[in-house]
């Protein structure tokens, strides 16, 4: 009941304002829309029409800005959900790895890598599943794929050095350790690794 009264009061107020504007502006005004097109209207009608056109244009801009913000919010929430799903998949894969269920862990890590090829952690852990099964060459192949885009990743280089050493490829192990030393010249672990090779 109270909302109806409020609406009625707003309508009465608007009617009163429009009537008052008509009362104060009884003159005629000519609105030119082009060289040959013009309208002669009461001044009050021109003022009210101009006001409502301004309100309409403002409402259109507000609507467009609202739609844009809604789309951006939807994109952010979609990315957030994808990141959550990604982390849950990695957690499940790490759980399988901890249980030494290597085929299941490898399948999950491959799924993570197919969704996000830049995920170095997943690639390292995928290589670890191969290493734990004794397939050192396959593990090294996974790391080499990752190093195409991540040439200066220390974790990849150190693991590649270790795998190359396991394969008896001391030159490649030395090269990997040397690259780590270029990235981090004062790192004692890298220095020891280089001396060992």
């Amino acid at each position: 009941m109270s909302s109806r009264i409020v609406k009625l009061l707003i309508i009465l107020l608007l009617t009163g304002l429009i009537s008052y504007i008509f009362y104060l502006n009884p003159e005629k005004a000519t609105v030119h829309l082009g060289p040959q097109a013009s309208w002669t209207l009461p001044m009050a009608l021109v003022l009210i029409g101009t006001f409502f056109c301004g309100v309409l244009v403002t409402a259109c801009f507000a609507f467009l800005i609202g739609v844009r913000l809604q789309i951006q919010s939807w994109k952010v929430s979609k990315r957030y959900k994808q990141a959550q799903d990604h982390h849950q998949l990695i957690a499940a894969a790490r759980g399988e790895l901890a249980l030494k269920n290597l085929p299941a862990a490898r399948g999950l890590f491959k799924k993570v890598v197919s969704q996000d090829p830049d995920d170095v952690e997943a690639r390292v852990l995928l290589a670890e599943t191969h290493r734990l099964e004794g397939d050192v060459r396959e593990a090294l192949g996974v790391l080499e794929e990752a190093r195409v885009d991540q040439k200066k990743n220390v974790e990849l280089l150190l693991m590649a050095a270790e795998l190359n050493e396991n394969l008896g490829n001391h030159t490649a192990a030395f090269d990997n350790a040397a690259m780590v030393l270029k990235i981090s010249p004062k790192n004692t672990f890298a220095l020891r690794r280089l001396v060992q090779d």
Side-chain angles (χ1 to χ4, degrees):
M1 184 68 181
S2 61
S3 64
R4 286 184 179 178
I5 293 171
V6 170
K7 287 177 184 175
L8 183 62
L9 287 173
I10 290 170
I11 290 169
L12 288 173
L13 182 64
L14 285 173
T15 306
L17 281 172
I18 290 169
S19 301
Y20 188 65
I21 290 170
F22 268 97
Y23 175 74
L24 290 178
N25 299 284
E27 304 88 10
K28 298 277 184 184
T30 303
V31 178
H32 297 280
L33 301 174
Q36 302 294 326
S38 63
W39 287 346
T40 301
L41 302 165
M43 176 65 82
L45 194 60
V46 172
L47 292 172
I48 292 166
T50 304
F51 172 76
F52 280 111
C53 283
V55 168
L56 184 63
V57 169
T58 305
C60 287
F61 274 112
F63 174 75
L64 292 174
I65 289 168
V67 167
R68 184 178 173 204
L69 288 173
Q70 189 66 33
I71 290 170
Q72 286 177 343
S73 172
W74 176 75
K75 285 181 179 177
V76 167
S77 64
K78 184 180 175 185
R79 277 196 297 267
Y80 178 71
K81 187 180 181 320
Q82 285 174 339
Q84 275 188 323
D85 292 344
H86 185 78
H87 289 300
Q88 286 173 356
L89 194 58
I90 287 179
R94 291 186 79 134
E96 294 292 346
L97 184 61
L99 293 170
K100 302 297 184 214
N101 189 357
L102 300 177
R106 186 166 35 256
L108 290 171
F109 283 128
K110 281 183 178 177
K111 189 173 179 183
V112 171
V113 168
S114 69
Q115 288 176 355
D116 184 7
D118 295 330
D119 192 328
V120 175
E121 179 189 10
R123 286 187 182 269
V124 167
L125 291 169
L126 177 59
E128 182 66 11
T129 63
H130 288 294
R131 189 185 70 78
L132 288 172
E133 281 189 337
D135 194 351
V136 179
R137 287 189 190 283
E138 190 64 34
L140 195 57
V142 170
L143 294 180
E144 290 303 320
E145 282 179 21
R147 283 190 50 212
V148 170
D149 296 321
Q150 303 277 340
K151 289 183 173 51
K152 294 187 177 180
N153 188 292
V154 174
E155 186 177 15
L156 291 174
L157 290 168
L158 287 173
M159 191 169 183
E162 183 183 338
L163 292 173
N164 277 310
E165 187 179 336
N166 291 345
L167 285 171
N169 190 349
H170 297 290
T171 305
F174 182 87
D175 289 343
N176 288 323
M179 281 191 254
V180 171
L181 206 56
K182 280 183 186 175
I183 296 165
S184 182
K186 295 182 180 178
N187 187 284
T188 53
F189 178 75
L191 280 168
R192 280 198 301 271
R193 179 96 218 165
L194 197 58
V195 170
Q196 284 173 5
D197 293 330

